[in-house]
Amino acid sequence: ETGVTQTPRHLVMGMTNKKSLKCEQHLGHNAMYWYKQSAKKPLELMFVYSLEERVENNSVPSRFSPECPNSSHLFLHLHTLQPEDSALYLCASSQDLGSPEPQHFGDGTRLSIL
Amino acid sequence: GESVGLHLPTLSVQEGDNSIINCAYSNSASDYFIWYKQESGKGPQFIIDIRSNMDKRQGQRVTVLLNKTVKHLSLQIAATQPGDSAVYFCALSGGYNKLIFGAGTRLAVHP
C-alpha cells in the first residue's frame, strides 16, 4: 500500500483532447507535488502545493493546469498536449514543506500523446 | 544551480555480492540527501536518507555514505538479491522540500 494513489495508470490521448490525472494521498500530508519522468532524464518537478496553495510552478507550459481542492487530492488537467509530453507523470506527497523529508510517490500515470 | 550526476548508468552484480551506487553533486549548501528505488511500472520508493551533519547512516542491508568534502554520496547494498534489481536515484534538497534528482543507475543482479 503506497499511500499515494494515481489514476488512471495509463492514458492515451490525441493532441486535441482534454483529460485529467488524479492523485489521492491517504497519509495526512500537507504538501503535494507533480513530477514528469521522461526516458533517460531526471525527474522534473512541475508543481508544488502546500495546504492547497500553489507554491511553485516550474516554468511548466499552460497546457498543464494543476488543481488542489484539498490537501488529500491533486489533479493535473491536460489540454492540447504535444507528442513530447508523453511521459510518466508522478504525484508525491510529504508531511510539510518546512524541513527536508522523504516524499512519498504514487505509481504514476503513463501518458501517451498520439 | 544544483546538479546531480551519476557515475554509472548501469551496474551489474552477482547475487550475494555487495553493490555500490555513486552520486556526485555540485551544491555545497545542500543539507539533505535521499536515495530512492524504482522498480519497473512503479513509482520511486524511499530507501534511506541522510542529513549533512552525518557522514554515514545504516538501514536494513543498506548504508548511505556522505562525503561533503568531495560532494559525493553513495548507496551500499549488502548481499544483493534479485529483488534489488531496479533503477536507483539519488536526490538532494534544493530549498524547503524541493528535491533535485539524479538521472538514475540501473542495477542488474545476476544469479
Side-chain angles (χ1 to χ4, degrees), chain A residues 9-55:
Chain A
R9 291 296 313 278
H10 302 273
L11 179 62
V12 179
M13 56 188 284
M15 289 191 282
T16 58
N17 291 156
K18 290 185 180 180
K19 295 286 185 184
S20 296
L21 310 185
K22 179 182 176 183
C23 176
E24 183 174 1
Q25 57 97 358
H26 314 276
L27 301 168
H29 288 168
N30 294 318
M32 296 187 77
Y33 313 78
W34 278 118
Y35 286 88
K36 176 183 179 181
Q37 187 175 35
S38 304
K40 300 182 180 178
K41 290 177 70 175
L43 269 73
E44 300 171 62
L45 180 64
M46 300 175 71
F47 301 104
V48 181
Y49 276 83
S50 176
L51 296 171
E52 301 133 56
E53 269 196 49
R54 191 188 308 181
V55 173

Side-chain angles (χ1 to χ4, degrees), chain A:
Chain A
E1 184 251 285
T2 64
V4 180
T5 305
Q6 291 187 242
T7 54
R9 291 296 313 278
H10 302 273
L11 179 62
V12 179
M13 56 188 284
M15 289 191 282
T16 58
N17 291 156
K18 290 185 180 180
K19 295 286 185 184
S20 296
L21 310 185
K22 179 182 176 183
C23 176
E24 183 174 1
Q25 57 97 358
H26 314 276
L27 301 168
H29 288 168
N30 294 318
M32 296 187 77
Y33 313 78
W34 278 118
Y35 286 88
K36 176 183 179 181
Q37 187 175 35
S38 304
K40 300 182 180 178
K41 290 177 70 175
L43 269 73
E44 300 171 62
L45 180 64
M46 300 175 71
F47 301 104
V48 181
Y49 276 83
S50 176
L51 296 171
E52 301 133 56
E53 269 196 49
R54 191 188 308 181
V55 173
E56 182 152 341
N57 174 350
N58 254 10
S59 303
V60 179
S62 59
R63 58 185 183 268
F64 295 91
S65 174
E67 179 190 1
C68 188
N70 55 63
S71 58
S72 299
H73 292 86
L74 187 65
F75 294 89
L76 188 62
H77 304 299
L78 316 171
H79 67 96
T80 324
L81 295 194
Q82 304 299 308
E84 62 265 27
D85 298 322
S86 297
L88 182 68
Y89 288 85
L90 290 161
C91 172
S93 71
S94 66
Q95 186 61 56
D96 291 296
L97 284 186
S99 58
E101 57 182 271
Q103 294 176 18
H104 299 260
F105 285 83
D107 287 333
T109 295
R110 173 71 62 186
L111 177 65
S112 298
I113 306 299
L114 302 178

Side-chain angles (χ1 to χ4, degrees), chain B residues 2-3 13 17 19 23 31 41 46-47 49 58-59 64-65 67 74 81-82 86 95 97 104 107:
Chain B
E2 302 93 344
S3 67
V13 299
D17 287 353
S19 303
C23 224
D31 61 358
F46 167 72
I47 301 173
D49 58 1
Q58 288 184 290
V64 55
L65 298 176
N67 186 329
S74 68
Q81 302 168 0
N97 201 20
L107 177 66

Side-chain angles (χ1 to χ4, degrees), chain B residues 88-104:
Chain B
Y88 289 81
F89 295 94
C90 64
L92 50 83
S93 64
Y96 52 89
N97 201 20
K98 176 179 176 179
L99 293 178
I100 299 169
F101 284 80

